[in-house]
């Protein structure tokens, strides 16, 4: 079974499936901070409407890759390409969302969500109308005039997702967006997020340390390990695998999880 499930391991070194035109590419990325190499020759890609997870232990360089993709850092070597354009070190090209929702407490939910549109220079009335038009699809109907302190954790994350979506509906960079939620809320938000992805067809690069989450949500998983960090395995999940939340009950889930644990334990 493992030979089938992990047949594309070698693809990680090339960083791209030749049958896919990537939306995002990170090519031969190396990065060091003073006195500490963090990443070494990392290549990965995200295809249109694809969810790719980046999984690794703490300190493997996941967040550094995230910041490089978002243009918040410039690599020592390599480049970031989005829709065929070299955007290395350029901020504002790709939407990203951090662990916390970062909603501004003095603004209503509608005003928080509309911020990307306002920053583009749209009139406030037009920006608010556009933002509110998406509230029902994102499960936020009726919260337009609430303030962040009046929302549950799950609802606040939905608002943050919508704000990210209005920045860019093509690609999300998500840095452990579900990690602060309790188990029940997390499972509910996973199901909601999978439904939104199917409906809106946006691509996602998800950073996580949660194996179950990566297996439930992903089309592909890159395992990042070593010091400095590099891609040690690419796992391709079958397109018809169960995303209903019951994947963990299937025998194949155990095979995937045991393989990933073996890879991650090398760095512990």
């Amino acid at each position: 079974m493992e030979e089938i499930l992990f047949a594309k391991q070698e693809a990680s070194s090339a960083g791209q499936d030749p049958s896919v035109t990537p939306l995002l590419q990170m090519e031969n990325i190396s990065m060091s901070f003073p006195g500490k190499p963090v990443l070494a020759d990392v290549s990965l890609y995200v295809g249109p409407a694809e969810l790719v997870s980046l999984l690794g232990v703490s300190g493997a360089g996941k967040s550094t890759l995230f910041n490089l993709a978002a243009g918040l850092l410039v690599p020592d070597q390599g480049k970031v390409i989005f829709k065929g354009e070299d955007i290395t070190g350029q901020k504002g090209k790709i939407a990203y969302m951090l662990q916390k929702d970062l909603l501004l407490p003095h603004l209503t939910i509608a005003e928080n969500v509309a911020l990307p549109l306002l920053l583009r220079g749209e009139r406030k009335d037009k920006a608010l109308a556009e933002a509110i038009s998406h509230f029902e699809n994102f499960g936020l109907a009726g919260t337009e005039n609430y303030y962040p302190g009046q929302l549950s954790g799950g609802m606040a994350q939905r608002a943050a997702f919508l704000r990210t979506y209005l920045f860019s509906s093509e690609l999300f960079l998500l840095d452990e967006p579900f990690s602060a939620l309790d188990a029940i809320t997390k499972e509910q938000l996973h199901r909601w997020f999978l439904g939104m992805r199917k409906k809106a067809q946006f691509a996602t690069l998800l950073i996580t340390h949660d194996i179950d989450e990566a297996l439930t949500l992903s089309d592909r998983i890159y395992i990042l390990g070593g010091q400095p960090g590099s891609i040690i395995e690419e796992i391709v999940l079958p397109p018809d695998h169960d995303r209903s939340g019951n994947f963990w009950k299937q025998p194949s889930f155990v095979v995937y999880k045991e393989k990933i644990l073996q890879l991650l334990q090398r760095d512990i």
Side-chain angles (χ1 to χ4, degrees), residues 66-82:
F66 177 95
N67 289 329
L68 288 163
L72 303 176
L73 293 173
V74 179
D76 300 330
Q77 174 185 309
K79 54 187 177 180
V80 179
I81 299 172
F82 179 53

Side-chain angles (χ1 to χ4, degrees), residues 144-221:
E144 294 85 353
N145 296 314
Y146 286 20
Y147 287 88
Q150 296 174 280
L151 296 188
S152 66
M155 293 289 279
Q157 286 299 85
R158 290 189 190 205
F161 277 123
L162 176 51
R163 182 178 58 192
T164 306
Y165 177 80
L166 290 177
F167 184 93
S168 171
S169 60
E170 293 181 279
L171 175 66
F172 283 12
L173 298 179
L174 304 179
D175 189 356
E176 301 192 53
F178 309 104
S179 62
L181 303 174
D182 63 82
I184 294 175
T185 303
K186 181 187 287 191
E187 183 179 349
Q188 291 172 341
L189 209 56
H190 282 169
R191 289 199 300 269
W192 169 81
F193 184 72
L194 286 169
M196 283 302 305
R197 276 196 63 231
K198 185 175 181 180
K199 183 185 299 184
Q201 292 292 297
F202 52 80
T204 306
L205 180 61
L206 171 69
I207 292 176
T208 182
H209 63 269
D210 185 331
I211 297 173
D212 291 11
E213 178 172 271
L215 288 171
T216 298
L217 299 180
S218 304
D219 298 304
R220 289 185 296 116
I221 302 171

Side-chain angles (χ1 to χ4, degrees), residues 94-156:
I94 300 176
Y96 64 91
M97 177 176 162
L98 303 174
Q99 295 177 32
K100 296 181 179 180
D101 58 69
L102 299 180
L103 300 176
L104 299 176
H106 61 286
L107 298 181
T108 66
I109 302 305
E111 290 169 336
N112 267 285
V113 168
L115 280 174
L117 305 177
L118 294 169
L119 291 173
R120 288 180 200 157
E122 292 192 16
R123 294 197 324 266
K124 185 174 182 180
D125 58 343
K126 184 178 178 181
L128 286 172
E130 171 66 15
I132 291 170
S133 72
H134 295 278
F135 268 49
E136 184 172 355
N137 278 342
F138 277 75
L140 293 167
T143 69
E144 294 85 353
N145 296 314
Y146 286 20
Y147 287 88
Q150 296 174 280
L151 296 188
S152 66
M155 293 289 279

Side-chain angles (χ1 to χ4, degrees), residues 16-34:
Q16 182 178 336
D17 181 341
S19 68
V20 174
T21 301
L23 189 63
L24 173 70
Q25 294 169 276
M26 301 186 76
E27 296 183 350
N28 307 114
I29 297 289
S30 294
M31 183 74 189
S32 297
F33 296 122

